[in-house]
């Protein structure tokens, strides 16, 4: 039974916690927090001040009432001492009657030494509860209850009547404490109403002031959100000579630094492959001369007869031609996971399997070469129709071990690959015919049957002691033709819309 009750309680507590979390806002504005804190401080201050004033006023009124009652009782006792001894009842009645005419005094009485009532006027306490043996003035609070009036709090002051230091009787003066209580209640109500009014005004003032104080923070928050959205040109134009002003200045300096950094990254990615730029910028603390052995594939694509072609063109036309074709080559390279190592005059050097792990880098390189030749063929149709000279590529591909990394000097370095496999790919490119892709026999055997190639003659290559048997790539297997055609259309449309940056990564 106890276990069930505990389980039920835990369930109820969990449900309450869930509901409280839903009701509690996820974001509380700082203006609301400031207004709440300022209002609480003002309310606490006003309440403390009101309590202090009310307490002091109550003490003052109580002291005044006791002083008045004490004085009146002593005065009556002094005047009544001789008439008590002489048993002058007329004089005693005059004393009580005259005292009763004071609106502050509700009752007055004179008692003999034995407690016998000699004269009385107004309201009197019960003699049985009255102490007539005190040596000094005493105050006795009591309550009067009537059927037609609410309960009234009274205070009777009892003083001894003495003649030549001999007690001859006692006097009683009764005052109303309810008047004092009513005055205290009115003062308390006035303080409460004043506190509530001041609280309302303080809340409005605190809300306005907190909004004014939090406005610069909202500006900073909006500017930070703009930075997060990529708007690095955002600036805060408020000029202040306080701490927030220094914060704004720091934010503007940070935004300017981020904008400059972004511009440097964009420019840097235009001089090297975007993948290389991202890798270098991601490890700025490790930029140093170093290299590592990799198994990768290198592709060289060279424009046939470019020297003779450039003699017939203006320098601006030569630059435009190279930029156009290198943009297509960069796009094709990126689609197959490669990176542009460098552009050497009219030759492009592409590498596959260096920056990213790619177990199929050799086939991707061959597919990229076929795509480049398809691009060149389609572009030549357009150039032929426009009466422009056609552009033909010769491509050499080789796969093998090489060193990849930052090479050069401490002042000038570049990320590239070097090695015998790279040199052989360059020489194969120089031996290829226009519109031809050639590679070694070992690479063709590795890629069968995905690559369709034709055996060529064995060539003697400078720097190689043994002749190299080469194959001329005709196409790739029909299973991979749909992807090749899709990539072809993507590169062409991307270039046509001037939106190659994301697809090709390097323009």
């Amino acid at each position: 039974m106890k276990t069930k009750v505990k389980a039920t309680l835990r369930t109820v507590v969990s449900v309450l916690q869930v509901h409280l979390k839903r009701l509690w806002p996820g974001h509380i504005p700082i203006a609301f927090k400031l207004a709440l804190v300022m209002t609480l401080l003002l309310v606490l201050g006003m309440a403390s001040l009101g309590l202090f004033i009310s307490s002091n006023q109550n003490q003052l009124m109580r002291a005044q009432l006791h002083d008045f009652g004490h004085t009146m009782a002593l005065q009556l006792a002094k005047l009544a001492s001789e008439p008590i001894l002489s048993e002058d009842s007329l004089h005693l009645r005059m004393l009580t009657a005259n005292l009763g005419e004071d609106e502050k005094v509700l009752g007055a009485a004179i008692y003999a030494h034995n407690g016998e009532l000699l004269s009385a006027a107004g309201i009197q306490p019960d003699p049985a509860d009255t102490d007539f043996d005190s040596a000094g003035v005493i105050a006795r609070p009591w309550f009067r209850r009537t059927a037609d009036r609410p309960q009234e709090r009274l205070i009777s002051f009892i003083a001894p009547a003495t003649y030549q230091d001999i007690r001859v009787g006692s006097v009683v003066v009764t005052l109303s404490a309810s008047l004092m209580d009513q005055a205290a209640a009115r003062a308390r109500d006035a303080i409460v109403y004043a506190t509530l009014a001041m609280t309302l005004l303080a809340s409005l003032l605190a809300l306005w002031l907190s909004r004014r104080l939090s406005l610069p923070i909202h500006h900073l928050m909006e500017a930070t959100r703009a930075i997060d959205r990529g708007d690095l040109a955002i600036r805060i134009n408020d000029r202040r000579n306080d701490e927030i002003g220094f914060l704004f200045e720091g934010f503007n300096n940070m935004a300017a630094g981020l904008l400059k950094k972004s511009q440097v990254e964009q420019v840097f990615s235009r001089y090297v492959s975007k993948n290389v730029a991202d890798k270098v910028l991601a490890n700025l603390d490790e930029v140093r001369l170093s290299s590592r052995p990799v198994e990768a594939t290198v592709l060289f694509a060279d424009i046939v007869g470019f020297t003779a072609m450039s003699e017939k063109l203006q320098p601006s036309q030569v630059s435009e031609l190279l930029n156009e074709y290198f943009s297509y080559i960069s796009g094709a390279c990126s689609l197959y996971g490669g990176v542009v190592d460098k552009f050497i005059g009219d030759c492009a050097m592409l590498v596959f399997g260096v920056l990213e792990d790619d177990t199929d880098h050799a086939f991707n390189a061959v597919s990229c070469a076929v795509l480049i030749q398809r691009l060149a063929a389609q572009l030549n149709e357009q150039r032929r129709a426009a009466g422009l000279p056609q552009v033909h590529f010769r491509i050499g591909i080789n796969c093998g071990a090489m060193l990849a990394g930052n090479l050069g000097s401490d002042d000038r370095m570049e990320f590239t690959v070097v090695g015998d496999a790279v040199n052989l790919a360059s020489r194969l490119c120089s031996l290829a015919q226009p519109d031809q892709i050639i590679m070694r026999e070992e690479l063709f055997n590795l890629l069968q049957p995905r690559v369709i190639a034709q055996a060529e003659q064995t060539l003697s290559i400078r720097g190689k002691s043994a002749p190299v048997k080469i194959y001329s790539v005709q196409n790739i297997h029909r299973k991979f033709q749909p992807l090749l055609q899709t990539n072809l259309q993507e590169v062409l449309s991307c270039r046509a819309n001037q939106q190659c940056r994301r697809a090709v990564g390097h323009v």
Side-chain angles (χ1 to χ4, degrees):
M1 183 66 181
K2 291 182 178 180
T3 305
K4 292 183 178 179
V5 172
K6 290 181 179 180
T8 304
L9 289 176
R10 284 196 295 267
T11 304
V12 172
V13 171
S14 300
V15 172
L16 289 176
Q17 288 177 346
V18 171
H19 285 290
L20 287 175
K21 288 181 179 179
R22 291 178 180 176
L23 293 175
W24 189 260
H27 169 71
I28 301 178
I30 191 171
F32 177 79
K33 294 179 181 178
L34 287 174
L36 181 61
V37 171
M38 295 172 67
T39 302
L40 288 177
L41 290 176
L42 289 172
V43 168
L44 288 176
M46 289 295 300
S48 301
L49 181 61
L51 290 175
F52 176 76
I53 294 175
S54 177
S55 177
N56 282 351
Q57 187 179 24
N58 288 339
Q59 291 179 4
L60 180 61
M61 293 177 65
R62 190 179 298 110
Q64 290 177 347
L65 181 66
H66 278 262
D67 289 343
F68 178 75
H70 190 275
T71 302
M72 296 300 293
L74 288 178
Q75 184 178 5
L76 180 60
K78 183 178 179 180
L79 295 175
S81 58
E82 289 186 5
I84 292 175
L85 284 175
S86 61
E87 297 181 358
D88 188 353
S89 59
L90 178 61
H91 193 184
L92 294 175
R93 283 195 298 272
M94 289 178 60
L95 290 175
T96 55
N98 291 335
L99 191 62
E101 292 178 356
D102 193 329
E103 60 181 6
K104 296 181 181 179
V105 178
L106 298 183
I110 301 174
Y111 291 87
H113 180 67
N114 58 4
E116 179 186 356
L117 179 63
L118 301 177
S119 177
I123 302 171
Q124 303 299 325
D126 187 358
D129 297 332
T130 304
D131 184 8
F132 295 116
D133 296 329
S134 61
V137 180
I138 63 172
R140 175 189 168 241
W142 57 286
F143 292 91
R144 184 178 68 159
R145 296 177 177 85
T146 59
D148 56 343
R149 297 181 63 182
Q151 178 177 273
E152 182 179 8
R153 193 167 74 92
L154 306 174
I155 300 179
S156 295
F157 294 89
I158 306 168
T162 61
Y163 183 79
Q164 294 182 355
D165 297 333
I166 298 175
R167 183 166 188 160
V168 295
S170 300
V171 298
V172 178
V173 176
T174 302
L175 306 179
S176 175
S178 295
L179 298 177
M180 179 187 68
D181 295 340
Q182 292 173 6
R186 288 193 297 269
R188 184 175 60 252
D189 293 341
I191 292 174
V192 169
Y193 293 143
T195 302
L196 291 176
M198 290 298 297
T199 299
L200 179 60
L201 293 177
S203 301
L204 297 176
L205 179 62
L207 183 60
W208 175 81
L209 185 60
S210 61
R211 286 183 179 275
R212 293 281 297 175
L213 291 176
S214 63
L215 187 60
I217 300 177
H218 282 287
H219 291 165
L220 182 61
M221 183 175 63
E222 291 299 327
T224 304
R225 289 175 177 172
I227 290 287
D228 187 55
R229 293 193 300 267
D231 183 9
L232 302 180
I234 189 70
R235 298 292 183 274
I236 302 177
N237 297 321
D238 293 352
R239 293 293 180 265
R240 303 170 63 101
N241 57 354
D242 53 10
E243 290 81 356
I244 295 180
F246 285 109
L247 185 61
F248 285 170
E249 183 179 356
F251 174 85
N252 289 337
N253 293 336
M254 180 199 71
L258 290 174
L259 178 61
K260 186 175 181 180
K261 178 178 178 291
S262 176
Q263 292 171 344
V264 169
E265 290 178 357
Q266 291 176 5
V267 173
F268 183 52
S269 65
R270 290 175 179 266
Y271 282 90
V272 298
S273 171
K274 185 178 185 303
N275 293 337
V276 175
D278 292 342
K279 190 175 184 66
V280 171
L281 292 173
N283 299 278
L284 292 177
D285 296 334
E286 299 182 4
V287 177
R288 61 182 184 273
L289 294 173
S290 63
S291 59
R292 60 185 178 89
V294 295
E295 185 75 20
T297 303
V298 182
L299 182 154
F300 283 88
D302 186 25
I303 298 178
V304 179
F306 180 76
T307 301
M309 186 187 305
S310 61
E311 292 177 352
K312 303 175 183 179
L313 301 174
Q314 296 295 327
S316 60
Q317 294 176 318
V318 174
S319 175
E320 183 179 355
L321 176 67
L322 288 177
N323 289 337
E324 179 184 5
Y325 277 89
F326 284 162
S327 296
Y328 286 121
I329 290 175
S330 298
C333 178
S334 177
L335 289 173
Y336 281 101
V339 295
V340 177
D341 186 284
K342 62 174 68 68
F343 296 115
I344 312 168
D346 61 328
C347 179
M349 175 181 172
L350 315 180
V351 293
F352 298 81
V354 173
L355 293 180
E356 304 292 340
D357 292 335
D358 184 5
T359 57
D360 209 16
H361 52 81
F363 179 71
N364 287 332
V366 174
S367 299
C368 179
V370 175
L371 178 57
I372 292 173
Q373 296 293 21
R374 292 275 184 92
L375 281 168
Q378 189 156 338
L379 292 174
N380 281 335
E381 293 180 3
Q382 301 175 6
R383 296 180 67 85
R384 188 183 307 111
L388 299 175
Q390 300 181 37
V391 177
H392 299 275
F393 282 90
R394 53 189 174 196
I395 300 176
I397 305 174
N398 191 34
C399 174
M402 58 193 73
L403 290 177
N406 296 319
L407 302 177
S409 66
D410 291 334
D411 298 330
R412 175 70 171 87
M413 63 180 67
E414 67 175 339
F415 188 91
T416 186
V417 291
V418 295
D420 182 65
V422 179
N423 297 333
L424 180 56
S426 178
R427 292 190 176 95
L428 289 176
C429 177
S430 62
L431 295 174
Q433 299 298 316
D435 301 325
Q436 187 181 29
I437 306 170
I438 62 174
M439 59 183 177
R440 289 190 305 162
E441 181 183 18
E442 291 81 358
L443 182 57
F444 170 70
N445 293 334
L446 178 67
L447 297 177
Q448 281 188 312
R450 292 184 293 174
V451 173
I452 302 171
Q454 181 179 354
E456 299 288 342
Q457 71 274 20
T458 301
L459 300 177
S460 296
I461 298 178
R462 180 169 56 87
K464 288 291 183 180
S465 58
V468 177
K469 186 172 182 178
I470 63 174
Y471 276 74
S472 175
V473 178
Q474 307 298 318
N475 208 334
I476 57 177
H477 195 276
R478 64 174 179 272
K479 182 172 63 174
F480 306 100
Q481 290 293 326
L483 177 61
L484 181 69
Q485 189 63 29
T486 300
N487 290 339
L488 175 63
Q489 296 302 322
E490 182 174 348
V491 173
L492 289 172
S493 62
C494 188
R495 175 65 181 174
N497 295 329
Q498 294 296 318
Q499 295 175 347
C500 300
R501 187 162 187 81
R502 181 176 181 182
V504 304
H506 185 99
V507 178

